[in-house]
Amino acid sequence: MGMHLILLCLMLMKASSTSANGDGDGDSGCPLGSDTYQYSCPEAEAIIFSWVEQAISQDSRMAASLLRLHFHDCFVNGCDASVLLDDRDDFVGEKSAAPNLNSLRGFEVIDAIKSELELVCPETVSCADILATVARDSVVLSGGPAWEVKMGRKDSISASKEAANNNIPAPNSTVDVLLTKFQNVGLNLQDMVALSGAHTIGKARCSTFSSRLQSSSDSSDVNMQFIQSLQQLCSGEDNTNKVAHLDLATPATFDSQYYVNLLSGEGLLPSDQALVNGNDHTRQIVETYVEDPSAFFDDFRYSMVKMGSLGSSTQIDGQIRRDCRTINLPN
């Protein structure tokens, strides 16, 4: 989808965006809005989209990586770009936290976007807004739904490795654990199932689904042919860097195939398959998305706006970083 099409989509949504998705203001002291950069940096969204389009054309996996950056940011003290801060001698960021270390990708794409934006409109567009926008653009460029990204986030001046370790859902989580982590940040069960659909694109390392490899044929809800294919992929001593598609059927297309896979026992991560095997309510939502893919798209865009609005105290005392990897130093 070209930039003119996504802008058309956003214009149509802006004209009709009222109560359907809420106002997206979140709980921060600085409400998010639709026209934040209308005058201060009107080219912002076009610049971001161009870089995302280029990155995905070179590496289709980058769509999932950029989407994941936004998730991992928002689950730790709100959407404040704390995930982008590098460790330094006197500062511990979140990149070395267990869910992020040797796992998160796409930082160089954010760097490129920020560099151009700083040339065009210095100290105007926050890194947190960049993350929210690249997430949307990655979904659209992969065939998924568009939504209007509310803008006006501030960048944090702190980070929390501890919160990253504790707050981000793990790939082996049960439904109860998943739900607790989503509820802890202000999201509900419906949001959890809808946002899990982000796993319709991307890849995961063998280590993240190792417990799936131990599944027994004694259970009627285990797809042993699928499990055996994973065992073969991850066999051998050096399987650390081996990866599998989260959605084997349409790995680079944002669609509802992820949920179809779950019903046939082909969820890659234990936390994915648990949505069908571990809870009747979540299974019912999965079945709804299989029967009506448009319902998934509607719920996903709603939950992305909701997640993207998660705020924190940094929205009040934050800043607009000149370099997304480091906090601005006093002049």
Side-chain angles (χ1 to χ4, degrees):
M1 180 182 288
M3 186 62 205
H4 63 291
L5 288 179
I6 190 173
L7 290 177
L8 177 60
C9 287
L10 295 175
M11 288 171 62
L12 291 172
M13 283 187 292
K14 188 173 290 188
S16 61
S17 63
T18 52
S19 60
N21 284 2
D23 61 11
D25 285 353
D27 59 356
S28 74
C30 190
L32 305 182
S34 303
D35 304 315
T36 304
Y37 303 123
Q38 182 177 357
Y39 302 109
S40 59
C41 194
E43 305 105 322
E45 289 196 64
I47 289 171
I48 295 170
F49 184 88
S50 178
W51 279 104
V52 175
E53 188 174 37
Q54 177 181 318
I56 294 174
S57 70
Q58 295 171 352
D59 174 11
S60 61
R61 185 185 173 194
M62 189 55 69
S65 298
L66 294 173
L67 178 57
R68 190 161 175 253
L69 274 179
H70 183 46
F71 270 78
H72 283 224
D73 182 38
C74 293
F75 266 79
V76 182
N77 299 325
C79 310
D80 59 4
S82 58
V83 72
L84 300 178
L85 292 169
D86 285 341
D87 285 4
R88 299 184 180 277
D89 291 342
D90 58 349
F91 184 87
V92 178
E94 296 164 14
K95 292 181 178 179
S96 58
N100 300 336
L101 184 63
N102 299 320
S103 178
L104 289 184
R105 306 168 69 242
F107 296 110
E108 69 285 351
V109 179
I110 306 302
D111 291 340
I113 293 169
K114 185 59 174 173
S115 293
E116 181 168 351
L117 287 173
E118 285 300 299
L119 290 174
V120 175
C121 34
E123 296 183 59
T124 302
V125 181
S126 69
C127 301
D129 280 348
I130 293 173
L131 284 179
T133 306
V134 299
R136 188 270 314 280
D137 292 351
S138 295
V139 170
V140 170
L141 286 163
S142 302
W147 62 90
E148 182 185 356
V149 176
K150 302 290 186 179
M151 303 289 199
R153 299 167 188 80
K154 292 293 192 294
D155 298 325
S156 69
I157 55 175
S158 62
S160 177
K161 181 177 179 179
E162 180 182 8
N165 280 322
N166 293 333
N167 296 6
I168 298 171
N172 60 350
S173 299
T174 63
V175 170
D176 288 344
V177 170
L178 284 174
L179 183 57
T180 297
K181 300 214 170 189
F182 273 75
Q183 289 177 332
N184 284 346
V185 299
L187 301 172
N188 60 32
L189 184 139
Q190 186 87 37
D191 298 318
M192 180 185 80
V193 181
L195 292 174
S196 294
H199 288 169
T200 185
I201 55 175
K203 299 179 181 181
R205 291 176 297 169
C206 288
S207 58
T208 63
F209 55 87
S210 57
S211 64
R212 288 280 278 150
L213 306 181
Q214 315 305 320
S215 300
S216 169
S217 58
D218 296 338
S219 178
S220 60
D221 55 17
V222 172
N223 183 329
M224 282 311 298
Q225 183 176 356
F226 178 67
I227 298 301
Q228 287 168 359
S229 70
L230 296 181
Q231 290 171 338
Q232 183 175 2
L233 171 71
C234 298
S235 63
E237 295 181 5
D238 186 21
N239 62 11
T240 306
N241 295 318
K242 287 186 179 179
V243 293
H245 291 294
L246 287 162
D247 172 5
L248 190 60
T250 55
T253 303
F254 196 100
D255 55 20
S256 62
Q257 182 64 40
Y258 162 81
Y259 299 104
V260 176
N261 297 342
L262 298 187
L263 291 182
S264 61
E266 296 180 340
L268 184 65
L269 303 180
S271 57
D272 290 332
Q273 195 59 47
L275 297 180
V276 163
N277 298 349
N279 184 284
D280 289 341
H281 191 179
T282 55
R283 182 187 180 97
Q284 186 177 20
I285 299 172
V286 169
E287 290 171 343
T288 298
Y289 292 160
V290 170
E291 294 167 5
D292 184 6
S294 65
F296 163 50
F297 275 22
D298 288 343
D299 288 352
F300 184 82
R301 64 162 64 95
Y302 171 82
S303 294
M304 283 297 291
V305 172
K306 186 176 177 181
M307 183 185 75
S309 300
L310 297 176
S312 69
S313 59
T314 58
Q315 303 291 16
I316 299 172
D317 59 11
Q319 58 183 207
I320 307 294
R321 290 186 213 135
R322 292 183 289 270
D323 176 348
C324 290
R325 293 175 178 265
T326 186
I327 297 163
N328 296 344
L329 297 175
N331 292 326

